[in-house]
Amino acid sequence: MVEASPIWGALAFLVMLLLTALSVPIAASMGFVGLVLVILFYGDFSSLQYVAANSWGNVAHYDMSVFPLFIFMGNLISKSDLGSDAFDGINRLMGRTRGGLAMVSTMTCALFGSVSGSSASTIVAIGGVALPEMKRYGYSNMLRTGSVSTSGCIANLIPPSMAAVLFSVVTEVSLGKLFIAGIIPGLILTFLILATIYIWASVRPEDAPRSTETFTLKEKLEGLKAPLPILMIFLFLMVGIYQGFFSPAEGAGMGVFFTIVMMVVLGKFTWGRFFVALRDTIKMTTMIFAILMAAVMFSSTIALSQLPQFIADWSLETVESPLAILYLVILIFIIAGCILENFGMVMMLVPLFYPVITQAGFDGVFFGVIIIMMMEMSMLTPPIGNNIYVTSYVDGEATYMDVTIGTIPFYVAVMGLTVLIIHFPMIAMWLPSTM
């Protein structure tokens, strides 16, 4: 048995970073380090029973049902081709504008992301339709993949966001308020990506040839119907949560039911699609819950070492400006995003720095939005950059380097929005403040 101290917490953190760098799965890394710390601090194995019960209790909770239910809803929508229908519909309306196909893919990603909550599934579902179309019209590798890769990030901001659920689980911040806080930043990010595409296509028109496909007014009006099912599901969820008709967990269940009804009405429901969506949901939920249980164990033992409190006290004594503390934490997250997968980054760093930020006077919901922005930036940051890998795989022609270079202008847009939210917090906080 050893006396708990911040030194042990720092050492445990370094060991976990080393294990992660050696490609040990994040759940195994956090679980192993957490177990070792428990044994060191308590001096026997009997304490493991308490730790195991605590870890299980945190995931076997009613509010945790949002994870499998929102994932299931997103998988159902992905398998039903509602995303590709929305792309076709929006393409009829604005496909012939400068950079039109890239803009259409961005708007469809925003729409699909508003019900899927997953960046990767958004890129696969929409990129699988949009990228071949942009290739057919001669869009450059960098523009088409950079726009799709970044547009996938919108799913993390616009609710229901799996990133928001994750942050809420780790910090116990209100999930409903965090969902609502992401709406305006998500819409602004969509606009910034569209503006970046337009500027790129104006400066280098050869990278985004105009579409030659024409549609009659009747076809364009019919195209307006295509995005409506996804939009209706999104509005049903957000109005219900905002008005307090149901909690996020209840909303997730209602969302699944509403999605199935929508699929049946549109003739897109089959038992094959249902069971494939269910299978994929079980796989993803199992992975997420394993990581969450390990994260609870790790963060609990890190808290016992008093490392978070030590960092908070040191930061508040050393750095006078709360804004400087926030920028310091953001810099740490940006660096971590280069070497850690964003899921693991949140699990490892948020328990460490959340007390620092709240003691500096920042609101937990506001910090949640900032962390979601950091997760988006990590998805576009090599060498990890999940969105870069997924987009390169879906495209099949563009190299990893093509996608990386293509995301740079959009990365600047994401960073610019982050700075904007920091200095004008009401961008994120206005809607939650009205709840």
Side-chain angles (χ1 to χ4, degrees):
M1 181 175 179
V2 299
E3 184 179 350
S5 76
I7 294 175
W8 284 107
L11 183 61
F13 190 77
L14 291 173
V15 170
M16 195 174 70
L17 277 178
L18 176 62
L19 291 173
T20 305
L22 293 173
S23 299
V24 177
I26 189 69
S29 301
M30 288 191 291
F32 172 74
V33 174
L35 283 173
V36 171
L37 279 184
V38 167
I39 295 170
L40 284 174
F41 289 161
Y42 289 99
D44 56 45
F45 289 91
S46 60
S47 56
L48 295 181
Q49 184 177 355
Y50 163 76
V51 173
N54 184 44
S55 296
W56 172 249
N58 274 272
V59 297
H61 191 276
Y62 171 74
D63 289 340
M64 293 298 292
S65 61
V66 294
F67 266 113
L69 287 173
F70 275 135
I71 292 170
F72 188 37
M73 185 180 75
N75 283 333
L76 284 171
I77 292 170
S78 177
K79 301 297 184 291
S80 68
D81 296 329
L82 288 175
S84 58
D85 290 348
F87 177 86
D88 291 338
I90 298 173
N91 183 41
R92 294 183 186 187
L93 298 173
M94 56 181 299
R96 286 178 58 82
T97 58
R98 194 182 298 276
L101 286 175
M103 290 185 180
V104 170
S105 69
T106 296
M107 295 178 71
T108 314
C109 281
L111 190 65
F112 185 84
S114 70
V115 288
S116 77
S118 166
S119 183
S121 64
T122 299
I123 292 172
V124 171
I126 306 305
V129 179
L131 290 169
E133 278 296 298
M134 285 191 274
K135 266 192 260 186
R136 186 161 69 92
Y137 281 99
Y139 275 60
S140 71
N141 288 357
M142 291 182 289
L143 175 55
R144 73 168 183 267
T145 57
S147 60
V148 170
S149 180
T150 312
S151 297
C153 294
I154 301 171
N156 279 333
L157 268 178
I158 297 180
S161 159
M162 290 299 103
V165 175
L166 182 63
F167 183 87
S168 177
V169 167
V170 174
T171 62
E172 298 184 356
V173 164
S174 167
L175 179 58
K177 288 188 175 182
L178 199 52
F179 273 172
I180 300 302
I183 293 176
I184 293 178
L187 294 174
I188 293 174
L189 180 61
T190 303
F191 172 78
L192 290 176
I193 294 173
L194 292 174
T196 304
I197 291 170
Y198 184 81
I199 293 169
W200 187 334
S202 299
V203 174
R204 293 180 58 86
E206 67 274 15
D207 285 353
R210 289 179 185 268
S211 171
T212 56
E213 197 170 4
T214 58
F215 298 96
T216 65
L217 179 61
K218 182 181 178 181
E219 289 173 328
K220 289 181 178 180
L221 292 175
E222 288 177 350
L224 287 172
K225 300 177 185 177
L228 287 181
I230 295 179
L231 190 60
M232 288 174 64
I233 295 169
F234 171 73
L235 290 175
F236 172 76
L237 287 173
M238 289 308 103
V239 171
I241 293 173
Y242 180 79
Q243 294 293 341
F245 296 143
F246 41 72
S247 68
E250 293 165 343
M254 295 289 288
V256 170
F257 175 75
F258 195 68
T259 300
I260 292 175
V261 170
M262 189 73 70
M263 289 172 65
V264 171
V265 170
L266 296 173
K268 293 182 177 296
F269 180 86
T270 66
W271 286 110
R273 287 174 170 174
F274 179 88
F275 284 115
V276 169
L278 185 63
R279 180 199 65 194
D280 292 348
T281 300
I282 292 171
K283 286 181 179 178
M284 187 173 292
T285 303
T286 303
M287 178 197 73
I288 290 173
F289 276 22
I291 295 174
L292 285 175
M293 290 178 68
V296 169
M297 188 184 305
F298 176 75
S299 59
S300 299
T301 50
I302 286 292
L304 282 174
S305 74
Q306 300 179 341
L307 179 62
Q309 190 59 47
F310 173 80
I311 294 174
D313 293 341
W314 177 85
S315 300
L316 294 172
E317 290 174 6
T318 307
V319 185
E320 294 183 2
S321 168
L323 205 56
I325 292 174
L326 179 59
Y327 271 113
L328 179 62
V329 171
I330 287 173
L331 178 62
I332 292 170
F333 271 88
I334 290 174
I335 295 171
C338 298
I339 56 175
L340 295 173
E341 189 271 332
N342 64 73
F343 205 101
M345 179 180 72
V346 170
M347 288 298 180
M348 290 170 61
L349 297 182
V350 168
L352 210 57
F353 291 106
Y354 183 72
V356 178
I357 293 298
T358 53
Q359 288 184 45
F362 293 101
D363 186 87
V365 173
F366 166 77
F367 185 55
V369 175
I370 296 298
I371 291 303
I372 292 171
M373 297 300 298
M374 293 301 100
M375 293 177 72
E376 292 184 348
M377 291 170 71
S378 77
M379 290 176 180
L380 304 174
T381 306
I384 303 297
N386 286 353
N387 282 19
I388 298 176
Y389 280 108
V390 174
T391 306
S392 177
Y393 172 78
V394 173
D395 184 84
E397 183 179 307
T399 65
Y400 179 84
M401 188 56 65
D402 287 334
V403 187
T404 301
I405 295 172
T407 58
I408 292 175
F410 302 101
Y411 186 93
V412 173
V414 176
M415 186 177 291
L417 177 58
T418 304
V419 174
L420 200 63
I421 293 171
I422 290 170
H423 291 279
F424 300 96
M426 288 307 289
I427 292 173
M429 298 304 296
W430 176 67
L431 277 179
S433 69
T434 63
M435 292 178 70

